[in-house]
Amino acid sequence: MAPSFSWWNNTKDTHRGTPVVIKMENPNWSMVELEGPSDEDFLISESPGRVRGKNAKQFTWVLLLKAHRAAGCLTSIGSAMLGLASAIRRRVASGRMDTDADVEPHGVREVENPAVRSRFYFCIKMFLCLSVLLLGFEVAAYFKGWHFGPAHLQLEYLWASPFGVKGAFDWVYSKWVLFRVEYLAPPLQFLASSCIVLFMIQSLDRLILCLGCFWIRFKKIKPVPKEGSFDPETGETGYFPMVLVQIPMCNEKEVYQTSIAAVCNLDWPKSKMLIQILDDSDDPTTQFLIKEEVHKWQQEGANIVYRHRVIRDGYKAGNLKSAMNCSYVKDYEFVAIFDADFQPTPDFLKRTVPHFKGNDELGLVQARWSFVNKDENLLTRLQNINLSFHFEVEQQVNSVFINFFGFNGTAGVWRIKALEEAGGWLERTTVEDMDIAVRAHLHGWKFVFLNDVECQCELPESYEAYRKQQHRWHSGPMQLFRLCLPAIIKSKISIGKKFNLIFLFFLLRKLILPFYSFTLFCIILPMTMFIPEAELPAWVVCYIPATMSFLNILPAPKAFPFIVPYLLFENTMSVTKFNAMISGLFQLGSAYEWVVTKKSGRSSEGDLTSLVEKPKHQRGVSVPDLDEMKEEIRQQEQKVSRKKKHNRIYTKELALAFLLLTAAARSLLSAQGIHFYFLLFQGVSFLLVGLDLIGEQVE
């Protein structure tokens, strides 16, 4: 008969001394592995009458196995940390600071205003220094026995002393605690509560937009042209008005071929369409290449002209304004605008222009963007999440319910009469597209967004290019708001539309969003770690942001694995957006910075094949050879890859990284779990961005 053994659990949360009989085939001692308490909590013994004990040899092997696993884990962590440290060392050694000017082939491009940048960076740096000093002070107090909870608990240590004060350090720390309770905590809590209110209002707005999008999908609401103007089954239309196609570009030699080829292959009668290549390049080589490309297509029968301005005032708005002043423009009814990296499909005009027929109040038809490089790196994946939500939710919902949204500057068709009534293109801001849309809306024109009509383009693949693009996109609306506010108030549109323009379109989505994102998560949250009397609830730090990120990612379901990096990166970008918003609102120097977003010229073979397909109505028209186009693009990519790569080091992001990591260390003393993990991961996110370790490297 096999002997029986029993064990007793020595842990505090179970009944002591309750034996559990285990039948064993082998009378020798054996280790029993159980989940829960550690091995030391369990005593294995023979049946009553035998002495309890442990097999020393087997116990040693278990300890050795655990030590081996721990050593392997430490080795992996150590190698990862060494790799990260090596990457940081190389980046610091070879990178350029964001204070350095950008050297272009034909001169120096002005960057953000140095005075504005230095003031903003100085504030962050002083805040960082103060937090480091406070952390050292708090650590010293911790080792002296102070409690790190609310103020009354911290003062228990002092009041428990028979003399009231134990020493000079305790006296100083007690004064600091009383000072922050009396003077620092109330205003900080008020600011935190105000930001929470703004946060909840913005979250409610985001939720309402998502519900509107769900309603559109449920009801299958979709803009449809008037009957007879377009047949969706055959793709044919009997409506062929005069259309002007414009491609403004500036030193974009990586993408000019694909965009020109795409518009030259639009399925529209040649006699009803004129293509304008509006070249603002100051590089003679780029000018020559674009001019030769236009000449080549002219020989192939395309109705295309090349325009170059000698005086390049007003950036893109000035370029478009100059083109609209041509005498032949009066013969055209509509104008389609494409940026240099956009590649419309041949049926683009057939699917957009028919919406104007029989709808005299319609001023703009906007198509959706799609991206040829959305899976290129982590940065492009995160941008795709943002822009997918912008088009599918924001643009579509505003189009269906209020017939107004911001023009995206490209992949849209305007009624020329609407442009003229709104005052034409103006160079007063860096968001000329939003400017013309607001002015057209004030004159009563309606807009339509087509979510099922896509136009391919590129996303910025480097953080430097993306950062400058976002600066322009967030400083311009504040400039425009200052300029348009009197006109909005005096306009004859309804009160509801005025409320939508002022509060929702400008204040909530363009001003409040970057303000509370930066203030709440990058300033107030770290401060509450050093002033624990002012608190941020866990649902503000974790649950609501996670829910909003979940809603944002719904239009791009394949990006769900990136929901955490997306949340962290959006908070990281808040420093750039906040800086841009302040610059635009107060007309600081960097608000007028207009930098062309760098393109990589990525096109797949499928994209090139679609460009050289012959439209059915243009018989006898030949196009450039596909192999020749592919070979030219391959040679361009090889030239770019051979050039030396440089990276930037972004001082504001690095300063905020160390600030958040310092606050995370302080939260450990208070045992604030969710706050610690948020601050830790957010600090690491700022560190990676500050060292330019996200996205492709910049030439």
Side-chain angles (χ1 to χ4, degrees):
M1 181 178 178
S4 62
F5 301 88
S6 59
W7 58 268
W8 283 264
N9 192 339
N10 286 336
T11 55
K12 297 179 180 179
D13 56 345
T14 56
H15 299 286
R16 272 185 202 272
T18 304
V20 178
V21 179
I22 303 176
K23 301 258 182 206
M24 306 289 294
E25 294 296 331
N26 194 335
N28 297 328
W29 296 102
S30 177
M31 280 297 286
V32 181
E33 229 178 274
L34 298 171
E35 292 184 3
S38 60
D39 297 332
E40 290 80 337
D41 292 332
F42 299 97
L43 297 176
I44 301 178
S45 67
E46 291 184 308
S47 56
R50 297 196 178 188
V51 182
R52 296 181 298 172
K54 292 185 178 180
N55 189 309
K57 185 176 180 180
Q58 291 182 345
F59 185 68
T60 303
W61 278 108
V62 171
L63 292 179
L64 289 175
L65 179 60
K66 291 185 177 181
H68 176 72
R69 291 177 178 175
C73 182
L74 290 176
T75 303
S76 302
I77 295 175
S79 61
M81 294 302 294
L82 287 175
L84 179 61
S86 177
I88 292 174
R89 186 174 61 253
R90 291 195 305 269
R91 190 57 43 87
V92 173
S94 62
R96 295 180 294 174
M97 304 299 289
D98 57 353
T99 55
D100 299 337
D102 296 321
V103 180
E104 294 274 322
H106 298 276
V108 177
R109 183 176 61 199
E110 184 178 355
V111 295
E112 184 181 344
N113 185 276
V116 176
R117 179 181 58 242
S118 61
R119 285 196 295 266
F120 189 53
Y121 175 56
F122 176 78
C123 294
I124 297 177
K125 188 166 58 175
M126 292 304 297
F127 191 26
L128 171 62
C129 295
L130 180 61
S131 66
V132 172
L133 292 175
L134 286 176
L135 177 62
F137 191 41
E138 298 285 356
V139 170
Y142 179 81
F143 283 107
K144 280 187 169 290
W146 286 82
H147 300 285
F148 288 93
H152 68 278
L153 294 178
Q154 296 192 38
L155 291 175
E156 282 182 359
Y157 170 78
L158 181 63
W159 294 336
S161 173
F163 300 103
V165 177
K166 287 189 173 183
F169 181 86
D170 293 322
W171 182 84
V172 172
Y173 191 77
S174 64
K175 292 299 182 182
W176 157 245
V177 172
L178 293 174
F179 176 77
R180 75 189 191 199
V181 169
E182 292 289 335
Y183 301 104
L184 297 182
L188 180 60
Q189 187 65 62
F190 174 77
L191 182 60
S193 301
S194 301
C195 287
I196 291 174
V197 171
L198 296 177
F199 179 37
M200 295 306 299
I201 293 175
Q202 198 275 332
S203 300
L204 180 62
D205 173 63
R206 188 63 52 94
L207 180 61
I208 292 174
L209 287 174
C210 290
L211 292 176
C213 183
F214 291 148
W215 179 259
I216 291 172
R217 284 196 172 191
F218 178 73
K219 290 293 186 178
K220 297 181 180 180
I221 302 174
K222 179 182 176 181
V224 179
K226 295 290 184 179
E227 186 176 353
S229 59
F230 178 71
D231 187 351
E233 295 183 359
T234 63
E236 296 297 330
T237 178
Y239 181 57
F240 293 104
M242 300 289 286
V243 178
L244 181 67
V245 180
Q246 296 177 332
I247 305 183
M249 57 179 62
C250 180
N251 296 326
E252 295 172 282
K253 61 183 178 182
E254 298 87 0
V255 294
Y256 73 93
Q257 283 184 308
T258 53
S259 59
I260 292 176
V263 296
C264 288
N265 280 282
L266 287 172
D267 192 3
W268 203 257
K270 289 188 295 181
S271 60
K272 299 286 187 178
M273 179 178 68
L274 174 65
I275 301 169
Q276 286 182 319
I277 305 301
L278 311 177
D279 182 24
D280 256 7
S281 303
D282 58 359
D283 177 14
T285 303
T286 304
Q287 292 180 28
F288 175 78
L289 291 174
I290 297 174
K291 191 180 299 184
E292 285 296 309
E293 185 71 14
V294 171
H295 180 66
K296 181 170 63 176
W297 281 99
Q298 287 175 339
Q299 291 181 330
E300 300 296 340
N303 192 10
I304 183 172
V305 295
Y306 174 86
R307 282 180 54 85
H308 177 74
R309 293 192 302 161
V310 178
I311 302 176
R312 301 166 57 245
D313 292 335
Y315 302 112
K316 181 180 176 181
N319 198 358
L320 293 171
K321 181 178 180 180
S322 174
M324 294 300 293
N325 289 332
C326 295
S327 59
Y328 52 78
V329 172
K330 64 179 184 297
D331 299 327
Y332 293 85
E333 189 175 356
F334 304 101
V335 55
I337 303 172
F338 303 98
D339 282 350
D341 60 315
F342 278 71
Q343 305 164 21
T345 55
D347 64 346
F348 181 87
L349 293 180
K350 283 188 173 182
R351 300 179 67 183
T352 54
V353 175
H355 287 269
F356 289 98
K357 185 178 181 180
N359 192 353
D360 295 336
E361 295 181 344
L362 184 60
L364 167 67
V365 175
Q366 172 73 59
R368 178 174 178 163
W369 299 359
S370 61
F371 311 104
V372 297
N373 61 339
K374 63 181 179 181
D375 297 323
E376 187 63 28
N377 55 43
L378 178 61
L379 179 61
T380 58
R381 291 176 185 271
L382 300 180
Q383 292 179 69
N384 180 54
I385 295 173
N386 251 344
L387 290 172
S388 296
F389 181 87
H390 169 69
F391 285 109
E392 182 141 353
V393 179
E394 293 179 340
Q395 298 291 74
Q396 186 173 212
V397 170
N398 288 323
S399 170
V400 170
F401 292 102
I402 60 177
N403 297 118
F404 168 73
F405 50 85
F407 175 45
N408 294 116
T410 178
V413 182
W414 275 95
R415 189 188 297 270
I416 294 181
K417 182 180 178 181
L419 291 178
E420 293 174 347
E421 283 192 5
W425 298 101
L426 299 179
E427 309 97 324
R428 56 182 181 173
T429 70
T430 58
V431 284
E432 71 292 328
D433 45 8
M434 186 182 295
D435 188 358
I436 191 68
V438 170
R439 286 184 282 118
H441 180 59
L442 295 180
H443 282 78
W445 292 99
K446 296 181 179 180
F447 303 162
V448 165
F449 174 76
L450 304 179
N451 192 53
D452 58 339
V453 180
E454 296 184 357
C455 189
Q456 284 194 334
C457 62
E458 285 189 16
L459 290 166
E461 295 181 9
S462 69
Y463 178 68
E464 180 188 10
Y466 180 64
R467 185 172 179 259
K468 291 177 178 177
Q469 180 195 69
Q470 292 300 304
H471 187 278
R472 175 164 53 88
W473 285 5
H474 286 82
S475 65
M478 290 298 96
Q479 293 175 293
L480 182 61
F481 178 64
R482 295 177 67 260
L483 296 171
C484 283
L485 183 59
I488 295 174
I489 296 174
K490 296 177 182 178
S491 65
K492 298 180 181 180
I493 60 176
S494 65
I495 297 178
K497 291 182 178 180
K498 290 181 180 180
F499 174 82
N500 173 71
L501 265 179
I502 296 175
F503 182 72
L504 296 179
F505 186 76
F506 279 113
L507 291 180
L508 186 59
R509 297 167 189 164
K510 302 298 188 297
L511 188 148
I512 291 177
L513 177 59
F515 171 78
Y516 87 75
S517 297
F518 174 75
T519 307
L520 188 62
F521 297 112
C522 299
I523 300 298
I524 295 178
L525 179 58
M527 290 180 67
T528 58
M529 297 300 101
F530 297 99
I531 308 175
E533 294 75 27
E535 297 180 347
L536 277 182
W539 58 269
V540 173
V541 177
C542 179
Y543 304 126
I544 299 298
T547 304
M548 292 301 103
S549 297
F550 176 79
L551 294 177
N552 279 18
I553 215 167
L554 285 177
K558 293 182 179 179
F560 267 102
F562 303 97
I563 186 170
V564 174
Y566 170 74
L567 172 60
L568 297 175
F569 183 69
E570 281 301 291
N571 289 333
T572 304
M573 284 303 300
S574 65
V575 59
T576 297
K577 297 176 181 179
F578 178 81
N579 188 25
M581 182 266 293
I582 294 298
S583 299
L585 191 61
F586 297 102
Q587 287 187 301
L588 303 179
S590 60
Y592 297 94
E593 182 186 10
W594 213 110
V595 180
V596 177
T597 305
K598 183 175 176 58
K599 314 297 191 308
S600 62
R602 297 186 183 275
S603 297
S604 64
E605 185 173 340
D607 301 328
L608 295 175
T609 303
S610 66
L611 293 180
V612 299
E613 290 179 352
K614 296 179 181 179
K616 296 179 181 179
H617 70 281
Q618 292 185 0
R619 297 180 180 178
V621 177
S622 60
V623 295
D625 184 64
L626 173 62
D627 295 331
E628 179 183 349
M629 293 177 65
K630 287 162 57 180
E631 180 64 22
E632 290 179 0
I633 292 176
R634 186 183 64 82
Q635 292 177 359
Q636 289 180 2
E637 291 180 348
Q638 288 179 350
K639 290 179 181 178
V640 171
S641 63
R642 286 196 298 266
K643 293 181 180 179
K644 185 178 180 180
K645 301 292 183 178
H646 297 281
N647 291 87
R648 289 189 178 276
I649 296 175
Y650 300 98
T651 53
K652 290 192 290 287
E653 284 80 354
L654 281 181
L656 282 168
F658 293 121
L659 169 63
L660 293 171
L661 293 175
T662 303
R666 171 61 180 83
S667 69
L668 283 177
L669 303 179
S670 304
Q672 295 179 329
I674 292 180
H675 297 73
F676 166 73
Y677 288 113
F678 181 88
L679 289 167
L680 175 63
F681 291 125
Q682 192 63 69
V684 172
S685 176
F686 268 103
L687 182 64
L688 296 177
V689 171
L691 294 172
D692 202 7
L693 292 172
I694 183 172
E696 290 289 335
Q697 292 180 319
V698 184
E699 180 184 330

